[in-house]
Amino acid sequence: MGPGVYQFNRHAAGVLRWVVVISLLWVGVGAISASAAPRELRVGVYSNEPKVFVDEDGKASGIFVDLLQLVADREQWTLKFVLCNWQDCLEALRAGRLDLMPDVARSPEREALYDFHALPVLHSWSQIYRAQGSAIHSLFDLQGKRVAVLKGSVQRATFLNMMDSFGIQVSLVDAPSLIEAFALVQRGEADAVIANHLFGNFHSVRYGVTDSGIVFQPATLFFATTPGRNAEVLAAIDRSVQDWRSGADPAYAEVLRRWGVQAQEGGMSPLVWWSLGGLLVFGLLAALTALVLRRQVQERTRHLQDSEQKLATILDSVGAFIYIKGRDYRYQYANHHTLKLFGKAASEVVGHDDTAVFDAATAAQLRANDRRVLEDGETLEAEEVNTQLVTGETRVYLSIKIPLRHADGSVHALCGISTDITERRKAEESLQIAATVFESFEGMIVTGPDQRILKANQAYARLTGYAVEELVGQTPRLLHSGRQDAAFYAAMKTALRTTGSWQGEVWNRRKDGTEYPAWITITTVRSPEGEVTHYVGTQTDISSRKAAEEEIRLLAFYDPLTGLPNRRLMTDRLQHSLAASARSGTGGALLFVDLDNFKDLNDTQGHELGDQLLRQVAARLSGCVRMGDTVARLGGDEFIVLLEGLSPHAAEAAAQAETVGRTVLAALSQSYLLGGLSHHSACSIGIALYADARGSVDELLKHGDMAMYQAKGAGRNTLRFFDPRTQADVTARTLLEAGLREGLRDGHFLLHYQAQINAHQGVVGAEALVRWQHPQRGLVSPAEFIPVAEASGLIVPLGTWILRTACQQLVAWGQDERTAHWTLAVNVSARQFRHSHFVDEVLGVLEETGANPRRLKLELTETLLLDDVEDTIERMEQLRRHGVGFSLDDFGTGYSSLSYLKRLPLDQLKIDQGFVRDLLTDADDASIARTIVTLAHSMDLGVIAEGVETCEQRDMLISLGCLTWQGYLFGRPGPAEALQAAAAAHVVVP
């Protein structure tokens, strides 16, 4: 028995045949033999495969077309097929534009609009097909679903009535054709589609739909024609149908087989026709009796069919497995769910016993249970464990088997209703297991939706230090340690709300106040309606695991002897450092440190002392670097130092790396206390810059290693750079720094003076400029040695020497009335000015030399002023109170702010030579110079321009209001004697 197939009572079917016979008596037997005149018939064709459709060649095809062609050949008709949509076809038929329409289900409404022949051509029924993956298995699953249906079809109204009777709300989506209806489901615009079973089975695979098992509205299909116009055509069709169903014409069965449809019963046997002759002798009385009988049978048949239809719909909509077995233990009926479970068609089940479906053991068990019902008349309720023959799957069913009795009380069959309780049994087993686990698993609690603890096991109590009674009614907040903030718990709640579960590490506090790490898992329990009913939490103390993880981490990433990062961790950090350096543009360096003669210590004093030395070296190395730098031990006596965040310029980065390297050399060369004895050691350092490695860790390590061996080859206890050019620069810089120290010690520095000229007074002073008289190289430019002095810190003692020498010159000038009024400007570096003893040093030099502080003018740069303005003002005020003046050098090239410029105790602004150089050709430079002059005058400050080289520049400055200058126009810097000679020769500008 197929899914949802209606089985008509054989007795009712026999009565129906007699009714049809008696009805034909009234129509007139003579009409059967009437012949249709040859004619052309216009036949409507729409898409309803396989019954009627237009094939790929544009020709009419299908079951009805083939059957109509048989009639046409017999009646000598000419058929003209007209393609149209279903609704358009019906309208054309009603209007007389078509003569015949195939595949029309008969209904009272249509009988009022069209004429039909008497005998049905095909039996059909309607089925519901669902989208793949859709959970539609019964009528009740259609609640709220979208169902596509052919517009104007009989299924539409019948389906709506059926839904109303069950109180099910659906949304119908009308489609102009069945193809479009199936396409709606395929596109996701509908959840299911209604079609006759022939069309649906034919197209289900193509459109990705599947039979839901819901069947309704058995129907008989006919040819329809325009009312009152084609009676002879309908009569001819009835004659052919009679022959087909009687078996006189086998062509009908052949057509059905060709289209994959089983030949349908319903044709009347020849014996019935012979009986018609006998019936004529009964006359009008028999006819009258037959008429009454026919009406009664029709009424009873209609009621029976309606009841069968409703019963079948209900049985196929029920989720249980319902079946009927006869006394021969063979199936007489199986509903849709039973057939689906067996994976068989109705024809493969009905008429067969359980051995066709289940294995031998299951079949024997079922027969034993069935025997108690069929033979003993018991109503049986039992659990049955069934194993299917094909799949081998075993499931548990709760079966209720009821005996079906005749009127005399004898049992003729049993009705079985089985429910799959496999999952319920598993759930019960799971609950039993869960109950056992709950009391054996580490730390489990169950809370309500308000998170208050409803139940806690003993393990949870032991873990937290609270008794179970103390925990019940509390919330897990009782255990919060405070290590996790509110954002942490907010994220936990969000995860529970969105995903239904959360797990992670939490630090909790026991009743005694001790804290411990726990691994927490929380699962949300919801009702079938989706409401949160409980939370289930598990908690495991992971203190041991954390300790083990930490130990593993230390072993994996740290040197067990020194505690420093090992090669693995260092390599990882170095890779990240190189990547960060590439992104930010900052520099970096790797120092490869190797202890000198370490093997001798191990060989002579033993490894214990060697290990002590390595631990002390590691400690000293860590003290030589910044917090963000990395010190690692590669193994043996080899160490690595990673310096990050150095200057982006290679030369400056090299200088910074060299400074750290020399600090390391000094730190590791100090004596060590090993085993109560003093030990001296040293190291060789190879330096590789990030810029030379091109992002490669291996390349950088190789460079550092090679540079380290170069240091060892150079005599040990020294450092070397990998890049020969960098090494040369560092060597030159080192030599220059050493020369600076010697020059300061041996007095190789001297001061030159550049005159400062006033338009009306002539020479009013000079700027002191330091020069280095190198014993071998001669005069060295300040541009070469001043940056080295700044970087090395030698600028402080050099600046002190310059200040003292300048003050001594002021004393000398003060003894000559021609030069006694001159001022002397001395440049002060930022490092010198920030020195903690700078103010005391300046005042000490003035007191020591006896120079007039009012003749001393200190030149400061704008960048110096930006760093700690308040401290700068305080230092300047202290010196100002003793008469020392201040000039702001290179004004306009920095970041001067008027907000603090007016607060500084300045005496003079100095226009940078960059503005003076293009004064005559660049309007912007002229405008800036004018602004500086105006600003100086408005603030009652003096103003001087440097770099004046031409008379035109001087004259332009005069026009702007700047009347004091210095530059090559008035002489190059030179000794004090040369300045006095130039002053005597200078002519004052009128």
Side-chain angles (χ1 to χ4, degrees), residues 138-215:
S138 71
L139 288 176
F140 299 102
D141 295 334
L142 293 173
Q143 177 69 37
K145 297 294 191 295
R146 301 163 299 171
V147 181
V149 64
L150 177 64
K151 184 178 181 181
S153 63
V154 294
Q155 294 104 321
R156 193 182 192 281
T158 302
F159 181 72
L160 275 180
N161 291 334
M162 184 168 62
M163 291 297 99
D164 289 341
S165 66
F166 282 101
I168 300 172
Q169 299 295 323
V170 296
S171 298
L172 290 186
V173 183
D174 287 319
S177 67
L178 286 174
I179 289 294
E180 179 60 25
F182 273 67
L184 287 171
V185 179
Q186 186 182 46
R187 295 195 300 267
E189 298 174 23
D191 304 302
V193 59
I194 298 174
N196 66 80
H197 76 288
L198 294 173
F199 182 89
N201 293 341
F202 193 84
H203 285 282
S204 59
V205 175
R206 174 183 174 187
Y207 287 94
V209 299
T210 185
D211 178 13
S212 70
I214 303 174
V215 179

Side-chain angles (χ1 to χ4, degrees), residues 611-666:
D611 289 345
Q612 291 184 28
L613 176 64
L614 291 175
R615 283 192 288 267
Q616 294 184 37
V617 167
R620 293 186 186 187
L621 283 175
S622 299
C624 292
V625 298
R626 302 163 299 176
M627 286 292 292
D629 297 328
T630 299
V631 178
R633 182 189 178 208
L634 293 188
D637 61 339
E638 294 180 338
F639 295 85
I640 291 290
V641 178
L642 301 182
L643 303 177
E644 303 182 70
L646 302 184
S647 171
H649 305 292
E652 295 179 7
Q656 294 167 337
E658 182 200 10
T659 300
V660 177
R662 296 199 178 279
T663 301
V664 171
L665 285 173

Side-chain angles (χ1 to χ4, degrees), residues 298-314:
Q298 285 179 337
E299 185 67 18
R300 293 178 62 187
T301 302
R302 185 177 64 80
H303 285 301
L304 179 60
Q305 290 176 340
D306 288 344
S307 299
E308 259 191 15
Q309 179 179 340
K310 290 179 181 179
L311 178 60
T313 302
I314 292 171

Side-chain angles (χ1 to χ4, degrees), residues 283-331:
L284 292 177
L285 182 58
L288 179 60
T289 302
L291 176 60
V292 174
L293 179 60
R294 181 175 64 87
R295 289 180 177 176
Q296 292 177 345
V297 170
Q298 285 179 337
E299 185 67 18
R300 293 178 62 187
T301 302
R302 185 177 64 80
H303 285 301
L304 179 60
Q305 290 176 340
D306 288 344
S307 299
E308 259 191 15
Q309 179 179 340
K310 290 179 181 179
L311 178 60
T313 302
I314 292 171
L315 293 180
D316 282 332
S317 300
V318 174
F321 306 102
I322 303 175
Y323 46 89
I324 296 175
K325 296 181 184 178
R327 289 190 61 84
D328 58 357
Y329 300 96
R330 298 179 184 273
Y331 286 92

Side-chain angles (χ1 to χ4, degrees), residues 588-590 646 650-651 653-654 657 687-693 700 703 721-722 726:
L590 178 146
L646 302 184
I687 303 177
L689 299 179
Y690 283 11
D692 299 327
L700 190 62
H703 289 179
F721 283 84
F722 167 73
T726 305

